[in-house]
């Protein structure tokens, strides 16, 4: 009886610890995002701002018509809306996400989800509560996560937040309860997939492959492979159902991927996927992984905040620079002196290097090997073109890898590996402290050696890099003081890290000699990692006090996000009654603000259509130069910009004032008849010829891809065509033509889903002028209807809805089954 009573007490204490841990996560989340949670502010995120602009047309259409737009004309002259903003029938998964994230508003829920997920994963690995909390904080508050949220990469960081929960589900299924493992794996994967960041799902798969290999070896040694494969079959079923909840989305994405810059190139035959130079644009240098433990070893971020008491601050004051200029200069100082064009260090904690070494020394092979290999593998891949003789092989032959850019993102696997090795090492140590005195002493010596080497290296480093070429016209004192600040940051990391590691070492020996209770030790390392991360990350999401100091704030009042009509926007809207497109000459293909009020030929998206990008690189850039030169000479004759005119550009904008927008009277219109059709046999011929044709009267067709009903190449241009109804996914035209004709539509050709009906009879669209739609038309009065009805949505969305219900029913059934089994026990 006493044994049962004691067992109940222990169970209740354990539940209280779980509850307190979750409350702690809630508290940290509120502390970080208190301007949003408590003051009704919003987080300023660049990528989310761009998305807001580009999604306006789709959101308005949905609200006004209670259906999905499917296609958007807001960016790049048209593209599928499911690459911008789409609602699928996955409401069940959305509700589960809201409940799991305790209804925190987006994006404040991301960090909470990450902390809770990593915590659950560590518990599944048998880690005690306090150490699990430490690991959760170490992973979730790493600068990787906060930098990503600050930049507006909500989907990427949100997908990472669910990564450890997927691993938890697999671990539970293989080593504990298969039913609970099935539920956790299926739900976690469905939740991650819903965020639609396949690069992180790909990284998740890499982690699971390494983990799976380690489990096969482990169960083989135990001579229990049959059990393993039975459990793996449960996980496969969980994965199939989860993919079903995302099926329509992934179908649509894979369809589009072939047409995007991540697919095959028609101009550059043999290239499939992103251009290697583009994918490796951001690559870690050889020493850059050290920023995991020493964030300022290469100076920190590309835009670091420095104090007025810094060397640069003192130098600016000494040289009589105005206070407002000093403030502006100090809030965006390029202290980073590495090789990347733009970066911020991905920091996992000063004590992590000590714990990583210790974990590697005391963990058994099956516990650490897969994580060590993961760590090495991810470090190698993060180096991109700085280790190209290896990374070229992965880029060319690792399936799907060439679809992703920013290879430095894979460093999240390194962070995952470091934290998990550290936590497993701590747990093993606490279980039997006396066994690991020798390993602890070795760890101290190795750590001291690393610090000593880094200290000595400072005397051989220049603390100067490529970025300093920008200061060639600055006075010498500017760069000299900046280099001094870089040195200060370098030594500051050594001092701070050394201090934390001394405290950690003392606490380890305190455990060995029973001077510190294990729970106190756990609380101590939670405090250490929390202070470490907060002191490192305090300026990433700038709070109100930093706003006052530097006039730069991450959190803004809601009203500051209102998007107001400018004079130029107002003029365009008043005069654009024929659905003309707008060409913003300012950063055309890296801004989406123009898309908020207008149909733009530019935009902001990581996966433009391949052929549209070809057009940008080969013709539009050239025609832009011509337009700019004309504008300088006050010449408004844009007739030579034939491709820009065929994209129906009616307005050219280069500022926000009324006199910063020019009406283009030479655009081709929404659709037009041509009298000459040139036949070519390749994409390169088509692109070459497009430089020279008169797009108002002539068109090009690649006959190696598209066939006409006959071999006619000359048509009568007499005829009238009018767009009488427009919506993103439906266009209706009326034509009157006395002879058979050929029409070019100023609409992007997309092979998956667009159908055309002439007088109710389905006809075939062809691609002309490299990127547009073309159609043969019989003489007479004709009604042309273009409708976007992709099967990837109609069928795929039905599969999503069905899979959501299957997952819900299975989850509820298995939970009831497990509860009944517990009652029987």
């Amino acid at each position: 009886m006493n044994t049962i009573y004691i067992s109940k007490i222990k169970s209740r204490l354990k539940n209280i610890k779980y509850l307190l841990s979750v409350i702690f996560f809630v508290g940290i989340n509120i502390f970080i995002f208190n301007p949003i949670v408590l003051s009704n502010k919003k987080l300023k995120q660049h990528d989310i701002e761009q998305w807001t602009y580009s999604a306006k047309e789709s959101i308005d259409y949905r609200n006004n018509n209670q259906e999905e737009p499917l296609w958007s004309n807001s960016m790049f002259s048209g593209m599928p809306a499911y690459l911008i903003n789409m609602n699928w029938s996955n409401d069940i998964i959305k509700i589960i996400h809201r409940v799991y994230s305790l209804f925190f508003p987006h994006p404040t829920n991301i960090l909470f989800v990450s902390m809770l997920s990593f915590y659950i994963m560590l518990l599944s690995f048998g880690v005690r509560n306090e150490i699990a909390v430490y690991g959760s904080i170490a992973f979730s508050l790493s600068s990787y996560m906060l930098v990503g949220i600050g930049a507006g990469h909500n989907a990427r960081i949100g997908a990472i937040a669910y990564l450890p929960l997927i691993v938890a589900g697999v671990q539970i299924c293989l080593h504990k309860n298969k039913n609970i493992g099935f539920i956790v794996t299926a739900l976690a994967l469905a939740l991650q997939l819903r965020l639609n960041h396949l690069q992180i799902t790909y990284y998740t798969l890499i982690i699971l492959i390494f983990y799976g290999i380690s489990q096969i070896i482990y169960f083989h040694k135990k001579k229990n492979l049959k059990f393993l494969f039975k459990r793996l079959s449960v996980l496969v079923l969980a994965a199939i159902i989860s993919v079903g909840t995302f099926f329509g989305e992934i179908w649509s994405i894979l369809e589009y991927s072939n047409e995007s810059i991540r697919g095959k190139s028609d101009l550059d035959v043999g290239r499939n996927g992103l251009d290697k130079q583009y994918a490796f644009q951001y690559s870690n240098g050889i020493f850059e992984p050290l920023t995991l433990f020493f964030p300022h070893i290469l100076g920190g971020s590309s835009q670091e905040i420095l104090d007025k008491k810094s060397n640069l601050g003192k130098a600016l004051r000494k040289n009589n620079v105005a206070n407002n200029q000093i403030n502006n200069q100090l809030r965006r100082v390029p202290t980073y002196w590495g090789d990347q064009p733009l970066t911020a260090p991905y920091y996992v904690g000063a004590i992590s290097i000590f714990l990583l070494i210790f974990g590697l020394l005391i963990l058994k092979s099956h516990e650490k090997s897969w994580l060590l290999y993961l760590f090495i593998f991810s470090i190698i891949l993060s180096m991109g073109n700085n280790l190209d003789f290896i990374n070229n092989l992965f880029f060319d032959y690792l399936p799907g890898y060439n679809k992703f850019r920013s290879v430095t993102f894979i460093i999240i696997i390194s962070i995952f590996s470091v934290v998990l090795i550290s936590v497993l090492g701590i747990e093993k140590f606490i279980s039997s402290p006396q066994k690991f005195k020798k390993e602890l002493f070795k760890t101290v010596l190795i750590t001291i050696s690393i610090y000593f080497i880094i200290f000595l290296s400072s005397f051989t480093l220049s603390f100067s890099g490529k970025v300093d070429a920008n200061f060639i016209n600055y006075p010498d004192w500017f760069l000299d003081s900046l280099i001094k600040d870089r040195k200060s940051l370098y030594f500051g990391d050594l001092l701070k890290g050394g201090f934390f590691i001394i405290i950690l070492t003392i606490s380890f020996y305190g455990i060995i000699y029973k001077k510190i209770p294990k729970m106190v030790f756990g609380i101590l390392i939670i405090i250490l990692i929390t202070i470490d991360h907060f002191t490192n990350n305090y300026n990433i999401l700038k709070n109100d006090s930093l706003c006052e100091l530097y006039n730069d704030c991450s959190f803004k009042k809601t009203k500051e996000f209102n998007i107001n009509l400018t004079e130029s926007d107002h003029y365009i809207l008043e005069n654009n009654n024929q659905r003309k497109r707008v060409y913003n000459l300012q950063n055309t293909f890296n801004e989406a603000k123009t898309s908020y009020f207008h149909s733009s030929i530019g935009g902001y998206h990581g996966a433009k259509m391949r052929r549209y990008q070809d057009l940008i690189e080969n013709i539009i850039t050239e025609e832009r130069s011509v337009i700019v030169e004309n504008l300088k000479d006050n010449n408004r004759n844009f007739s030579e910009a034939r491709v820009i005119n065929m994209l129906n550009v009616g307005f050219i904008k280069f500022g926000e004032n009324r006199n910063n927008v020019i009406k283009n009277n030479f655009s081709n219109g929404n659709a037009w008849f041509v009298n000459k059709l040139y036949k070519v046999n390749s994409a390169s011929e088509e692109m070459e010829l497009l430089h020279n044709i008169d797009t108002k009267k002539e068109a090009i067709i690649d006959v190696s891809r598209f066939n006409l009903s006959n071999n006619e190449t000359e048509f009568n241009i007499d005829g009238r065509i009018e767009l009488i109804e427009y919506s993103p996914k439906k266009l209706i035209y009326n034509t009157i033509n006395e002879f058979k004709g050929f029409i070019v539509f100023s609409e992007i050709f997309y092979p998956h889903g667009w159908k055309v009906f002439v007088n109710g009879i389905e006809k075939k669209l062809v691609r002309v002028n490299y990127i547009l739609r073309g159609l043969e038309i019989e003489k007479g009065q004709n009604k042309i209807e273009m409708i976007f009805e992709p099967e990837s949505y109609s069928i795929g969305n039905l599969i999503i809805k069905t899979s959501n219900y299957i997952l819900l029913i299975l989850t509820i059934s298995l939970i009831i089954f497990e509860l009944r089994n517990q009652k029987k026990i």
Side-chain angles (χ1 to χ4, degrees):
M1 191 71 175
N2 287 337
T3 305
I4 296 172
Y5 180 74
I6 291 169
S7 178
K8 285 183 178 180
I9 293 293
K10 285 183 177 180
S11 178
R12 286 176 183 172
L13 286 173
K14 188 179 289 187
N15 291 335
I16 290 171
K17 283 185 177 182
Y18 295 155
L19 180 60
L20 289 174
S21 298
V22 174
I23 292 172
F24 179 63
F25 298 150
V26 169
I28 284 181
N29 212 47
I30 291 174
F31 180 79
I32 292 173
F33 294 107
N34 71 86
I36 296 176
V37 179
L38 303 178
S39 303
N40 196 30
K41 291 186 177 181
K42 290 176 68 176
L43 182 62
K44 183 176 174 62
Q45 300 172 288
H46 174 267
D47 281 21
I48 299 304
E49 286 183 39
Q50 299 299 320
W51 172 85
T52 301
Y53 304 143
S54 64
K56 174 71 159 48
E57 182 188 44
S58 298
I59 293 170
D60 286 350
Y61 181 86
R62 182 184 303 114
N63 292 339
N64 294 331
N65 298 278
Q66 284 72 55
E67 65 177 9
E68 291 304 311
L70 303 182
W71 186 265
S72 172
N73 281 294
S74 65
M75 289 199 302
F76 304 117
S77 304
M79 64 187 294
Y82 39 74
L83 273 296
I84 302 170
N85 178 256
M86 275 277 292
N87 285 343
W88 299 80
S89 296
N90 56 359
D91 292 338
I92 291 170
I93 299 300
K94 289 179 183 176
I95 292 169
I96 292 170
H97 166 72
R98 290 189 66 201
V99 173
Y100 183 73
S101 60
L102 294 188
F103 301 96
F104 271 108
H106 196 66
T108 67
N109 53 13
I110 295 174
L111 282 187
F112 176 77
V113 167
S114 177
M115 287 185 283
L116 186 57
S117 297
F118 210 89
Y119 176 71
I120 291 170
M121 184 195 73
L122 293 177
L123 293 178
S124 74
F125 275 89
V127 174
R128 68 193 64 211
N129 187 77
E130 295 80 13
I131 310 306
V133 171
Y134 159 80
S136 181
I137 298 300
F139 179 81
S140 302
L141 296 191
S142 64
S143 60
Y144 183 106
M145 305 292 279
L146 291 173
V147 167
I149 292 173
H153 299 173
N154 293 349
R156 173 168 63 94
I157 306 303
I160 289 169
Y162 281 112
L163 186 160
L165 192 63
I166 296 170
V167 177
V170 175
Q171 171 73 7
I172 292 167
C173 186
L174 295 186
H175 293 278
K176 295 181 180 179
N177 187 308
K178 67 177 180 182
N179 291 332
I180 301 300
F182 172 89
I183 292 170
V184 174
T185 304
L187 289 177
L189 183 55
L191 287 163
Q192 187 192 65
L193 288 170
R194 184 190 70 84
L195 292 160
N196 195 6
H197 201 289
L198 296 183
Q199 186 168 358
I200 298 304
T201 302
Y202 191 91
Y203 294 163
T204 305
L205 180 61
I206 289 174
I207 290 173
L208 292 176
I209 288 171
F210 276 76
Y211 173 78
I213 292 170
S214 76
Q215 295 305 297
I216 290 171
I217 296 169
Y218 174 77
F219 278 96
H220 174 69
K221 289 180 178 178
K222 296 282 185 180
K223 297 182 179 179
N224 205 4
L225 282 176
K226 187 177 180 181
F227 171 85
L228 172 65
F229 289 119
K230 282 182 179 179
R231 292 297 175 96
L232 287 176
S233 65
V234 173
L235 292 171
V236 169
L237 178 61
I240 290 171
I241 295 171
S242 299
V243 171
T245 67
F246 182 66
F247 188 79
E249 293 181 72
I250 196 168
W251 182 356
S252 301
I253 291 165
L254 291 175
E255 264 185 353
Y256 180 77
S257 178
N258 293 326
E259 310 300 323
S260 77
I261 57 175
R262 297 163 195 259
K264 290 182 178 180
S265 171
D266 289 330
L267 284 184
D268 186 0
V269 179
R271 189 172 94 190
N272 185 10
L274 291 173
D275 177 71
K276 199 173 294 181
Q277 186 177 356
Y278 176 71
F280 288 171
Q281 181 183 5
Y282 297 95
S283 298
N284 275 340
I286 300 299
F287 300 106
E288 208 124 19
L290 285 172
T291 61
L292 287 168
F293 315 108
F294 306 96
H296 298 97
I297 196 166
L298 290 173
S301 68
S302 300
Q303 292 186 346
E304 198 82 22
I305 294 177
L306 291 183
D307 190 86
K308 289 184 179 180
K309 295 179 182 178
S310 63
N311 290 288
L312 183 58
K314 291 176 182 176
L316 290 168
R317 287 200 306 278
K318 184 179 178 181
N319 286 276
N320 300 317
V321 177
N323 280 333
N324 62 333
Q325 289 180 288
I326 293 174
N327 289 336
N328 289 332
Q329 183 71 63
L330 292 180
R331 71 185 184 190
R332 289 188 177 90
V333 182
T335 55
Y336 175 74
W337 50 279
D339 295 331
Q340 292 194 67
L342 190 69
T343 189
Y346 295 145
Y347 179 61
V348 73
I351 61 175
S352 295
I353 191 167
F354 180 95
L355 295 173
L356 173 65
I357 296 165
F358 187 58
L360 291 174
L361 288 175
I362 72 171
L363 292 173
K364 292 182 179 178
S365 179
H366 74 273
E367 295 171 322
K368 67 182 178 183
S369 292
W370 68 281
L371 289 167
L372 176 60
Y373 296 144
L374 256 181
F375 177 75
I376 295 169
F377 182 71
S378 60
I379 291 294
I380 289 171
L381 290 188
S382 76
M383 290 181 182
N385 57 20
N386 289 315
L387 210 60
D388 56 0
F389 67 96
I390 296 177
N391 280 303
N392 285 344
L393 293 175
F394 286 119
F395 191 83
D396 292 335
Y397 299 108
L398 189 62
Y401 187 64
N402 61 6
K403 306 295 183 187
F404 309 123
R405 69 166 306 207
S406 295
V407 293
T408 54
F409 285 170
I410 202 171
I411 211 74
I412 191 60
I413 294 181
S414 305
I415 295 171
F416 175 90
S417 304
V418 168
V419 176
L420 189 48
I421 290 173
S422 300
V423 169
L424 294 177
I426 295 170
E427 178 61 35
K428 191 160 193 173
F429 168 76
I430 290 180
S431 299
S432 305
Q434 303 299 324
K435 289 171 60 176
F436 303 111
K437 285 183 181 179
K438 187 184 293 185
E439 288 80 3
L440 180 60
F441 184 68
K442 285 182 181 178
T443 301
V444 172
L445 288 181
I446 294 170
T447 306
I448 290 172
S449 300
I450 291 171
Y451 267 73
F452 189 64
I453 290 169
I454 292 173
F455 173 75
L456 290 179
S457 299
S458 67
F459 298 104
T460 63
L461 298 173
S462 67
F463 293 92
S464 183
K466 292 180 181 178
V467 69
D468 294 341
N470 297 326
F471 306 121
I472 193 167
N473 294 321
Y474 280 58
D476 291 341
W477 60 260
F478 184 94
L479 189 56
D480 290 343
S481 58
L482 178 58
I483 287 174
K484 287 179 182 177
D485 281 323
R486 288 169 177 167
K487 289 180 180 179
S488 296
L489 290 168
Y490 184 97
F491 290 119
D493 279 355
L494 292 178
L495 287 172
K496 179 181 126 180
F499 175 73
F500 282 144
I501 287 172
I502 288 169
I503 294 174
L504 184 69
T505 304
I506 292 170
S507 63
F508 265 82
Y509 279 106
I511 289 285
I512 289 175
Y513 294 106
K514 299 180 181 179
K515 300 295 183 182
I516 298 176
K518 293 177 180 179
M519 184 181 291
V520 172
F521 172 83
I523 294 171
L524 179 63
I525 61 170
I526 291 171
I527 292 171
L528 282 179
I529 196 64
T530 304
I531 293 173
D532 191 4
H533 277 325
F534 272 109
T535 54
N536 183 70
N537 299 334
Y538 78 100
N539 64 352
I540 294 174
L541 301 181
K542 303 174 192 70
N543 58 30
D544 290 346
S545 61
L546 284 174
C547 291
E548 294 172 7
L549 279 172
Y550 299 103
N551 193 27
D552 187 17
C553 191
S554 299
F555 300 98
K556 303 279 188 180
K557 292 178 181 178
T558 304
K559 65 180 181 181
E560 295 183 49
F561 288 87
N562 293 340
I563 301 165
N564 300 315
L565 272 173
T566 64
E567 290 179 7
S568 59
D569 290 327
H570 189 73
Y571 172 79
I572 293 169
L573 291 173
E574 274 191 339
N575 293 275
N576 192 6
N577 54 7
Q578 295 181 318
R579 210 179 72 80
K580 300 282 187 179
R581 294 194 179 95
V582 177
Y583 183 10
N584 189 343
L585 294 176
Q586 295 180 321
N587 202 23
T588 312
F589 303 107
N590 281 296
E591 69 84 31
K593 192 172 183 180
T594 305
S595 302
Y596 191 81
F597 294 113
H598 319 290
S599 293
S600 173
I601 70 164
Y604 183 86
H605 202 281
K608 294 190 288 289
M609 283 194 187
R610 168 72 73 185
R611 281 180 167 259
Y612 201 82
Q613 181 65 29
D614 292 342
L615 209 64
I616 293 168
E617 293 174 358
N618 289 275
I619 299 181
I620 292 178
T621 302
E622 294 177 7
E623 291 190 350
R624 181 190 185 279
S625 299
V626 173
I627 288 172
V628 170
E629 289 303 314
N630 283 352
L631 289 173
K632 287 179 180 178
D633 297 333
N634 200 26
N635 178 0
R636 300 190 180 189
N637 184 341
F638 306 125
S639 58
E640 295 301 311
R642 299 186 182 98
V643 167
I644 287 173
N645 286 328
M646 84 175 191
L647 293 176
N648 198 23
V649 171
F651 300 89
I652 297 169
K653 177 181 175 181
F654 48 90
E656 304 302 344
N657 297 325
R658 164 61 190 90
N659 59 359
N660 295 145
V661 58
I662 304 294
K663 192 172 183 179
N664 175 25
N665 295 315
F666 298 90
S667 63
N668 292 13
N670 293 300
W672 59 94
F673 287 90
V674 295
N675 59 11
K676 179 72 174 178
L677 196 61
Y678 293 98
K679 295 181 179 180
V680 296
N681 291 289
S682 69
S684 56
E685 287 182 47
E686 190 173 8
M687 180 62 74
E688 184 63 31
L689 190 55
L690 191 57
H691 279 86
N692 303 310
I693 67 164
D694 180 355
T695 58
K696 277 189 170 67
K697 298 177 181 179
E698 301 167 320
I700 313 164
I701 185 169
D702 184 348
V703 292
S704 68
R705 303 286 186 91
F706 299 94
N707 297 316
L708 298 172
S709 59
N710 53 54
N711 290 321
E712 292 183 46
T713 58
E714 295 188 4
F715 301 88
N716 192 297
I717 201 168
D718 294 330
R720 185 164 59 86
I721 181 167
E722 182 183 6
L723 176 66
I724 61 170
E725 184 179 323
Y726 165 79
S727 74
K729 66 177 183 178
K730 187 176 183 180
L731 302 165
I732 300 178
Y733 303 83
N734 279 344
T735 72
I736 299 175
N737 49 296
E738 296 181 6
F739 303 94
K740 182 177 180 179
F742 191 91
I743 302 172
V744 175
F745 300 89
S746 185
E747 304 293 340
I748 300 300
F749 181 88
Y750 184 66
H752 309 292
W754 275 107
K755 297 177 182 178
V756 62
F757 299 88
V758 180
N759 301 322
I761 300 172
E762 186 171 0
K763 299 292 184 179
K764 183 182 178 183
L765 283 170
V766 296
R767 185 174 61 220
V768 295
N769 293 0
Y770 201 78
I771 196 72
L772 299 182
R773 303 173 202 168
L775 178 69
E776 293 178 275
I777 193 78
E778 298 297 326
K779 67 178 181 179
Q781 293 187 8
N782 299 290
K783 180 182 180 182
I784 302 171
E785 294 179 90
M786 282 188 197
I787 304 171
F788 190 51
E789 293 179 337
E791 290 183 349
S792 58
Y793 177 77
S794 56
I795 297 173
N797 198 42
L798 180 62
I799 294 172
I800 285 176
K801 191 172 186 177
T802 304
S803 299
N804 268 257
Y805 281 110
I806 290 172
L807 180 56
L808 179 64
I809 292 166
L810 280 173
T811 299
I812 293 172
S813 300
L814 289 173
I815 289 173
I816 292 171
F817 177 79
E818 287 298 319
L819 289 173
R820 284 179 177 174
N821 274 354
Q822 284 186 8
K823 285 182 180 179
K824 288 178 184 178
I825 295 170

